[in-house]
Amino acid sequence: MKVGIVGAGMVGSAAGYALALRGGASEIVLIDHNEKLAIAQAEDIAHAVPFAHACVVGAGGYEELEGAGVVILAAGVAQKPGESRLSLLSRNAEVFSEVIAQVRRNAPDAILLIASNPVDIMTEVALRASGLPRERVIGSGTILDTARFRSLLGTHLGIAPQSVHAYVLGEHGDSEVLAWSAARAGSEPIARFAVQVGAPITGEIRERIDAGVRRAAYRIIEGKGATWYGIGAGLARIVQAIRDDQRTVLSVSIVTPEVEGVQDVALSLPRIVGRAGILTTLMPELAEGEAAALRASAELLKETGAGLR
Ligand code: ADP
């Protein structure tokens, strides 16, 4: 499958690199309004191909997107000094409308995979600008937060993260909700499993894991200015679920008709991902506090999205 990537900065190029290493695409096209950057990133990634899987990596204009099955949108502009978050958001929304018109013209059948932040709001913007059905405009959402949650739980329990089923819901950001009450290890509720393996989840452990998930991006940004490898790999994982019609359950963001009483808001829930995009959304059974936190997260996103219109 041909995969387009618009925005060949750190996130876009990391997604391309991860796709090349995983064998997630037969062809990768990088597009950026900084053409030199797109060409350089494509050449650099292409040099990894002999050590990985067959894949043609190139850069070009939007016409090169013809036949793409997925187009990743990782374009964005940087915050100007003193600029408000909302002003930055509306500039990014403008970039998206321009980019999406071009993508739709050249790759009308492509699923859009949104990576630009704030990803939930940009997913809503992309849906509106594209006119596509909601299940074909997918934001990376909390895919990475969920991976981190599973990994920290796995480490605590001494088991593989693949045997932990736990999701981070809502906004990809401060208001996200760790769905502890729905978490399972094997087929057991997480607390019962933890007691059986002699590693009970105390309040302190819970707080540590919560902070480990919630503060991860802040810690990385403090050390290196931005994050890109983790999200690049997450994007490649979503592409593969689509390409191979894997029907994998992943926590990703789409505009959702109703969540905890809030209508038409983009946020993350566990969803079945396959060739047609999002096939089904699952609503985990939540404790009262978690449901309230998810409602608050949805309301916050709804408000921010409305501020843009
Ligand atoms: P990130 O860390 O999110 O990847 P970067 O600034 O590294 O952020 O990358 C964003 C990329 O998006 C830049 O390379 C920039 O040139 C590109 N970009 C910005 N506006 C457009 C646009 N209208 N069309 C295509 N690419 C764009």
Side-chain angles (χ1 to χ4, degrees):
M1 187 175 75
K2 186 197 268 191
V3 177
I5 301 177
V6 183
M10 298 316 296
V11 171
S13 61
Y17 182 56
L19 270 172
L21 290 190
R22 280 181 76 100
S26 55
E27 188 175 349
I28 298 171
V29 179
L30 288 151
I31 299 174
D32 198 293
H33 71 168
N34 180 348
E35 262 177 66
K36 261 176 112 171
L37 175 69
I39 292 169
Q41 297 281 33
E43 191 175 357
D44 199 4
I45 295 167
H47 292 165
V49 167
F51 308 113
H53 301 265
C55 176
V56 178
V57 187
Y62 285 94
E63 64 286 353
E64 301 292 331
L65 290 180
E66 196 194 332
V70 175
V71 176
I72 297 174
L73 300 187
V77 289
Q79 199 157 6
K80 292 179 185 162
E83 185 178 32
S84 75
R85 206 169 151 249
L86 206 59
S87 152
L88 172 70
L89 244 174
S90 48
R91 286 202 299 133
N92 268 323
E94 266 170 47
V95 168
F96 256 42
S97 332
E98 175 196 315
V99 164
I100 286 168
Q102 296 269 27
V103 171
R104 295 283 295 135
R105 206 166 303 135
N106 291 281
D109 297 327
I111 286 177
L112 303 183
L113 180 50
I114 317 303
S116 306
N117 272 318
V119 69
D120 301 292
I121 303 294
M122 296 313 286
T123 301
E124 199 185 314
V125 167
L127 179 72
R128 228 180 302 136
S130 67
L132 280 165
R134 55 180 87 212
E135 64 276 9
R136 298 181 70 82
V137 181
I138 306 170
S140 53
T142 58
I143 186 161
L144 200 51
D145 315 77
T146 286
R148 194 153 180 88
F149 189 25
R150 293 174 67 190
S151 150
L152 291 175
L153 275 170
T155 303
H156 174 72
L157 299 172
I159 60 172
Q162 288 86 347
S163 297
V164 178
H165 304 284
Y167 295 94
V168 178
L169 315 176
E171 181 197 16
H172 168 57
D174 294 342
S175 75
E176 67 191 21
V177 182
L178 278 67
W180 282 96
S181 60
R184 296 272 182 288
S187 64
E188 293 299 296
I190 204 90
R192 204 156 64 197
F193 187 100
V195 170
Q196 283 185 52
V197 296
I201 297 173
T202 60
E204 194 196 326
I205 299 281
R206 203 172 146 131
E207 264 170 42
R208 187 154 47 82
I209 292 178
D210 192 275
V213 173
R214 214 178 280 282
R215 304 292 306 168
Y218 289 101
R219 283 193 304 276
I220 296 168
I221 289 168
E222 209 179 297
K224 59 183 259 188
T227 73
W228 54 85
Y229 292 124
I231 189 57
L235 289 163
R237 178 71 191 87
I238 298 168
V239 169
Q240 224 157 12
I242 295 170
R243 186 195 69 173
D244 299 338
D245 196 22
Q246 286 176 343
R247 296 160 188 247
T248 309
V249 179
L250 299 170
S251 67
V252 289
S253 185
I254 63 168
V255 173
T256 308
E258 196 270 335
V259 182
E260 294 296 333
V262 182
Q263 263 103 40
D264 291 319
V265 63
L267 45 61
S268 288
L269 288 170
R271 305 182 194 271
I272 303 174
V273 185
R275 189 64 191 88
I278 301 302
L279 308 178
T280 310
T281 291
L282 307 155
M283 189 62 212
E285 207 176 318
L286 299 175
E288 217 173 281
E290 293 165 349
L294 183 58
R295 186 179 330 118
S297 187
E299 281 167 353
L300 182 89
L301 286 167
K302 185 79 192 176
E303 247 170 63
T304 314
L308 260 187
R309 276 177 219 141

